[in-house]
């Protein structure tokens, strides 16, 4: 009898360990995304999917939400922040000539914030990471592909670490110095940005 109890507790601890690793993998992926976009998705997805019990209208609305949030993740990779001459934090959009700021940029040189190849790579991978996070959400799975729910556990254990590892390598090759909309601001000066 004691043997059964120990094997049962060993099985339970393995399950807890696997779910902890899965949540840790998803948590590491979410760090690559703008927090506001993830919050909006997590807040609206249960409402729009009717907690996974979708009608056709719910499917369209959820698809629109996923698409809009995915585009927001991509767009935020092309934004950056800088301290203006007034000492306040300002945001702008990266262009080929530098940062396209608000009208109150003052005397700050924004040409060091030029658009780079790494920005496009980051945007692509942010959108991929968001797609993984949003399409493996329990409400999304129940709404769009309910027969897939049994396979979801395996994908939740395998896909986030794989995507996280690939994204981690790509982000090491193309380091991101931008602190755009939805990301925490940099505590350093704008002069720390690479050209």
């Amino acid at each position: 009898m004691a043997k059964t109890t120990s094997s049962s507790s060993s099985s339970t601890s393995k399950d807890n360990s696997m779910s902890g690793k899965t949540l840790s993998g998803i948590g590491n992926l979410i760090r690559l995304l703008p927090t506001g976009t993830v919050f909006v998705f997590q807040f609206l997805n249960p409402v729009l999917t009717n907690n996974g019990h979708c009608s056709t209208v719910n499917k369209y609305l959820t698809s629109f939400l996923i698409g809009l949030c995915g585009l927001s993740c991509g767009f935020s990779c092309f934004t950056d922040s800088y301290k203006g001459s007034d000492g306040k934090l300002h945001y702008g959009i990266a262009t080929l000539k530098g940062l396209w700021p608000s009208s109150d940029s003052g005397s700050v040189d924004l040409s060091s914030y030029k658009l780079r190849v790494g920005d496009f790579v980051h945007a692509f991978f942010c959108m991929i990471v968001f797609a993984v996070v949003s399409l493996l959400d329990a409400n999304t799975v129940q709404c769009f592909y309910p027969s897939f729910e049994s396979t979801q556990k395996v994908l939740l254990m395998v896909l986030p670490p794989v995507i996280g590892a690939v994204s981690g390598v790509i982000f090491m090759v193309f380091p991101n110095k931008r602190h755009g909309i939805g990301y925490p601001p940099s505590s350093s000066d704008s002069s720390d940005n690479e050209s």
Side-chain angles (χ1 to χ4, degrees):
M1 193 76 161
K3 201 176 210 179
T4 308
T5 306
S6 68
S7 68
S8 173
S9 67
S10 172
S11 163
T12 304
S13 70
K14 279 185 181 179
D15 288 343
N16 289 341
S17 172
M18 290 299 267
S19 69
K21 287 180 182 177
T22 299
L23 292 175
S24 172
I26 290 175
N28 289 336
L29 283 179
I30 288 177
R31 283 189 217 156
L32 302 173
L33 301 175
T35 53
T37 301
V38 174
F39 174 75
V40 166
F41 175 77
Q42 292 295 326
F43 182 72
L44 292 178
N45 189 41
V47 174
L48 295 180
T49 61
N50 193 20
N51 289 321
H53 306 292
C54 285
S55 66
T56 305
V57 172
N58 293 103
K59 287 182 181 182
Y60 284 121
L61 290 173
T62 304
S63 299
F64 182 73
L65 174 68
I66 291 171
L68 191 64
C69 289
L71 289 175
S72 173
C73 286
F75 173 75
S76 67
C77 292
F78 298 105
T79 63
D80 208 343
S81 60
Y82 64 95
K83 277 199 175 182
S85 55
D86 58 359
K88 293 182 181 178
L89 191 64
H90 301 277
Y91 292 94
I93 300 170
T95 66
L96 293 173
K97 295 181 181 181
L99 205 59
W100 182 52
S102 58
S103 59
D104 53 352
S105 65
S107 61
V108 178
D109 178 28
L110 301 175
S111 63
S112 64
Y113 295 90
K114 290 179 185 175
L115 198 58
R116 298 181 294 265
V117 173
D119 297 330
F120 292 98
V121 173
H122 278 267
F124 176 74
F125 275 94
C126 279
M127 289 169 57
I128 294 294
V129 167
F130 180 76
V132 167
V133 168
S134 64
L135 294 177
L136 289 180
D137 181 76
N139 291 326
T140 307
V141 169
Q142 288 177 355
C143 180
F144 288 105
Y145 29 91
S147 62
F148 191 66
E149 196 168 1
S150 61
T151 316
Q152 179 190 16
K153 289 183 182 180
V154 173
L155 279 176
L156 272 175
M157 290 188 316
V158 173
L159 206 53
V162 169
I163 295 294
V166 170
S167 297
V169 168
I170 295 298
F171 289 169
M172 279 187 343
V173 173
F174 296 98
N176 188 9
K177 300 288 186 185
R178 296 207 187 276
H179 299 283
I181 299 171
Y183 293 98
S186 173
S187 58
S188 60
D189 291 334
S190 61
S191 61
D192 290 345
N193 245 338
E194 62 180 310
S195 354

